[in-house]
């Protein structure tokens, strides 16, 4: 990372692409996937599907075929923000290698050689208690973060020209989802509204307590901008309070980002 003068070492995965006579190279660093690009002869961050789309392109997405779903799932992975809790031994070693505790260990050894048993025992016991409390607190915080970020529900999706109900973990970029207008549910991915409007509580992401209104993206030949067109995007982790649609009881939206590629995922990555 040139910005922070950091060096990371990751294992490159070689994966044969189904139905294609080529091998894909990629690695994962800090929850981001980097793929080998033959045109520039280097690894680049996996691109989101919305980066090359116009606003009108979202209206052409009427559901994915089984083959497209399989390819997107292989490329982007499951729609889940998975946070692992480090094992106790790993945390103990990491905490024990802290310069402070290394100095304490040196002090204990030095006082033991000088037959200052009481001082050595007191420092040793205090250090063990301190490490134990630190490890326990770290695991507790990791477990709380994992439980709060874990979210899964049933969603209605248009696939292969049919309406199906499946787990939100199976959502992939390009899916068209049906959002009930009665509200009271959490959005499970970043998606662009293509039909209807929604009143959304985004306090989880922005801290703003006032609900905001999301409207249908215009059907125009204009480049889509994820960062500047927030009024058309439903973000993962936000709550839909109420919806409105001219056709039926569902608003329609197209999935553009899942998992750690979403705005919520980026916030979690910053915490880890």
């Amino acid at each position: 990372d040139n910005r922070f003068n950091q060096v990371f070492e990751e294992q490159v995965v070689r994966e044969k692409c189904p139905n294609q006579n080529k091998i894909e190279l990629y690695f994962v660093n800090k929850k981001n996937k980097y793929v080998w690009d033959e045109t520039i002869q280097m690894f680049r961050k996996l691109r989101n599907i919305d980066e090359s789309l116009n606003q009108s392109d979202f209206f052409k997405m009427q559901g994915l075929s089984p083959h497209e779903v399989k390819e997107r799932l292989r490329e982007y992975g499951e729609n889940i923000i998975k946070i692992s809790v480090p094992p106790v031994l790993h945390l103990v070693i990491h905490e024990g290698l802290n310069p402070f505790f290394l100095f304490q260990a040196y002090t204990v050894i030095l006082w033991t050689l000088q037959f200052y048993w009481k001082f050595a025992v007191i420092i040793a016991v205090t250090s063990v208690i301190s490490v134990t409390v630190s490890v326990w607190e770290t695991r507790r915080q990791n477990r709380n973060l994992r439980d709060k970020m874990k979210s899964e529900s049933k969603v209605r999706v248009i696939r292969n020209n049919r309406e199906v109900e499946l787990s939100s973990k199976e959502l992939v970029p390009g899916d068209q989802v049906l959002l009930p207008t009665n509200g009271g549910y959490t959005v499970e991915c970043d998606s662009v509204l293509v039909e209807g409007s929604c009143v959304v509580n985004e306090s989880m992401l922005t801290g703003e307590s006032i609900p905001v209104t999301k409207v249908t993206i215009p059907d125009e030949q204009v480049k889509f901008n994820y960062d500047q067109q927030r009024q058309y995007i439903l973000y993962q982790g936000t709550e839909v309070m109420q919806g409105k649609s001219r056709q039926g009881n569902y608003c329609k939206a197209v999935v553009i980002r899942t998992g750690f590629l979403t705005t919520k995922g980026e916030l979690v990555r910053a915490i880890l």
Side-chain angles (χ1 to χ4, degrees):
D1 192 327
N2 295 328
R3 293 175 300 173
F4 305 105
N5 293 321
Q6 294 177 325
V7 178
F8 300 96
E9 183 177 336
E10 302 290 350
Q11 183 178 2
V12 176
V13 178
R14 295 173 179 268
E15 185 178 84
K16 187 175 182 180
C17 300
N19 302 325
Q20 297 182 30
N21 190 21
K22 68 175 184 177
I23 296 178
E24 181 184 44
L25 302 178
Y26 71 89
F27 67 88
V28 179
N29 176 263
K30 292 185 175 295
K31 307 298 183 180
N32 278 332
K33 183 177 180 181
Y34 295 82
V35 297
W36 178 258
D37 193 328
E38 290 288 348
T39 57
I40 59 177
Q41 289 295 299
M42 63 183 299
F43 285 98
R44 59 166 175 79
K45 186 179 177 181
L46 180 64
R47 294 194 181 100
N48 298 293
I49 65 166
D50 59 273
E51 295 180 17
S52 59
L53 295 179
N54 292 327
Q55 293 179 181
S56 60
D57 293 331
F58 293 108
F59 294 88
K60 302 173 184 176
M61 299 180 181
Q62 301 297 324
L64 301 175
S65 66
H67 174 70
E68 290 174 320
V69 170
K70 188 176 180 180
E71 282 295 307
R72 296 277 172 89
L73 194 59
R74 180 189 63 82
E75 187 175 7
Y76 293 97
E78 288 187 322
N79 178 34
I80 184 173
I81 297 178
K82 186 177 182 180
I83 301 175
S84 58
V85 179
V88 175
L89 181 60
H90 171 81
L91 293 176
V92 169
I93 294 175
H94 182 269
E95 196 70 27
L97 292 178
N98 187 296
F100 174 76
F101 291 111
L102 292 177
F103 174 75
Q104 293 293 71
Y106 167 77
T107 305
V108 170
I109 294 173
L110 182 63
W111 282 355
T112 301
L113 294 175
Q114 297 296 324
F115 300 104
Y116 287 101
W117 301 105
K118 292 183 179 179
F119 293 107
V121 170
I122 291 174
I123 293 298
V125 171
T126 304
S127 298
V128 169
I129 293 174
S130 179
V131 170
T132 302
V133 171
S134 178
V135 169
W136 177 82
E137 181 66 20
T138 301
R139 281 182 60 84
R140 185 183 68 84
Q141 292 176 357
N142 279 316
R143 284 196 298 266
N144 288 341
L145 181 63
R146 177 193 62 188
D147 295 339
K148 287 182 179 180
M149 294 300 105
K150 186 187 298 182
S151 178
E152 182 182 359
S153 61
K154 293 294 183 180
V155 293
R156 304 188 75 84
V157 184
I158 303 296
R159 282 189 178 175
N160 207 24
N161 298 320
R162 292 190 302 111
E163 182 180 322
V164 296
E165 186 177 273
L166 43 78
S167 169
S168 59
K169 291 171 59 176
E170 301 177 50
L171 289 175
V172 295
D175 268 330
Q176 186 179 87
V177 293
L178 303 178
L179 307 171
T181 55
N182 54 6
Y185 54 88
T186 301
V187 181
E188 300 292 355
C189 60
D190 285 3
S191 54
V192 173
L193 270 176
V194 294
E195 184 180 307
S197 61
C198 296
V199 178
V200 183
N201 178 10
E202 292 188 341
S203 59
M204 180 271 177
L205 291 180
T206 63
E208 181 61 55
S209 60
I210 301 176
V212 296
T213 301
K214 303 293 184 176
V215 297
T216 301
I217 190 170
D219 188 358
E220 301 173 351
Q221 288 291 333
V222 178
K223 180 75 173 177
F224 175 74
N225 190 305
Y226 180 84
D227 296 319
Q228 298 180 6
Q229 295 179 308
R230 300 175 60 90
Q231 68 271 29
Y232 311 129
I233 304 174
L234 297 172
Y235 293 99
Q236 183 183 32
T238 58
E239 179 189 1
V240 175
M241 305 176 66
Q242 184 181 1
K244 185 178 180 181
S245 177
R246 296 179 180 177
Q247 301 178 4
N249 298 320
Y250 293 95
C251 299
K252 292 182 180 180
V254 174
V255 179
I256 54 175
R257 301 189 182 189
T258 59
F260 280 99
L261 294 174
T262 63
T263 297
K264 177 183 175 181
E266 290 292 335
L267 291 176
V268 174
R269 284 201 325 108
I271 297 173
L272 296 178

